[in-house]
Amino acid sequence: MTLEEIAATLIGLFGAEVVQNIAPGSWQIETSAFRLLVLLSEDNTWLRVLLPIMPLQEAEPFLTQFLEANFDDTQETRYAVYDGVVWGVFQHNSGTLTSADFASAIARLKSLYQAGVNDVFNQLIETRIRQIVQAAKQQGQSLQATMQNLDRFYAEGLLGEIDQNAAAREEVLTAWRSQLEKLWDEQY
């Protein structure tokens, strides 16, 4: 892609009013929701698109899940860490990049941004539930006995919020039951 094609694609995606050419080969797209940077290398052979996702401090408990997402879920984009921030990043040789692939990568970065920590948090929760299922099965517990233990943990305040009312507790336990039932029959 040439400089002109990159600029035209960005304007087509975001509108001329938000696409800023901040330096030769560098663009910034600032919307009310996010700030996207598009940077060409000095020799114009590599294009990098960057989108800050969240502060590293907020993401640290989920770094393993972010890296696992890089392996399985992020497609042509990647999560990266730089200067205390988790970024969504796309890099490609500018000579072989097409406008369609460029637009697709930007859409994927926006998707990573919108998901924030939600997807990796859900992945972490599923991993933990699998661990609970595996431990319960190793102890010879049934699904019903495992649910009774979780119910007792909530009743005793070992799980859940201190000021959680009965309706909220029941909602959480229903979610637990659903997840446990979904994962119970898997082989461990």
Side-chain angles (χ1 to χ4, degrees):
M1 290 186 74
T2 65
L3 293 169
E4 294 77 21
E5 291 171 319
I6 293 168
T9 302
L10 292 172
I11 290 169
L13 291 171
F14 299 103
E17 62 279 356
V18 295
V19 176
Q20 302 169 359
N21 187 269
I22 54 178
S26 300
W27 297 265
Q28 176 175 282
I29 293 82
E30 191 144 1
T31 71
S32 60
F34 60 84
R35 188 182 76 191
L36 183 91
L37 299 171
V38 178
L39 309 170
L40 276 171
S41 62
E42 285 185 24
D43 62 1
N44 291 346
T45 59
W46 279 94
L47 175 89
R48 180 181 290 175
V49 184
L50 305 159
L51 180 63
I53 305 287
M54 69 182 49
L56 177 59
Q57 188 174 11
E58 292 176 25
E60 280 187 293
F62 309 105
L63 287 180
T64 298
Q65 287 70 35
F66 278 116
L67 290 174
E68 287 173 354
N70 275 351
F71 191 80
D72 283 332
D73 302 326
T74 60
Q75 298 173 4
E76 72 276 20
T77 59
R78 294 286 177 260
Y79 288 107
V81 174
Y82 179 74
D83 200 26
V85 175
V86 173
W87 297 80
V89 178
F90 170 75
Q91 296 184 120
H92 201 284
N93 180 309
S94 58
T96 59
L97 184 62
T98 66
S99 292
D101 288 340
F102 181 48
S104 175
I106 289 172
R108 187 73 184 141
L109 287 172
K110 287 170 47 181
S111 175
L112 294 180
Y113 173 79
Q114 290 165 344
V117 76
N118 291 338
D119 290 348
V120 294
F121 176 76
N122 291 337
Q123 187 179 25
L124 175 63
I125 295 302
E126 185 171 316
T127 299
R128 297 284 163 84
I129 292 172
R130 288 179 192 278
Q131 290 170 343
I132 290 168
V133 168
Q134 184 177 15
K137 285 184 171 185
Q138 286 174 347
Q139 295 173 8
Q141 287 184 7
S142 66
L143 174 60
Q144 185 61 30
T146 303
M147 274 308 299
Q148 287 173 349
N149 281 337
L150 288 171
D151 189 35
R152 182 174 51 86
F153 292 156
Y154 273 91
E156 294 174 359
L158 297 173
L159 291 174
E161 302 293 322
I162 292 175
D163 58 352
Q164 192 172 35
N165 63 34
R169 189 174 120 220
E170 191 56 40
E171 185 178 328
V172 170
L173 286 170
T174 299
W176 270 104
R177 176 173 292 285
S178 173
Q179 287 297 311
L180 286 172
E181 287 172 348
K182 181 178 113 182
L183 299 174
W184 193 262
D185 291 329
E186 290 186 7
Q187 297 295 88
Y188 292 96

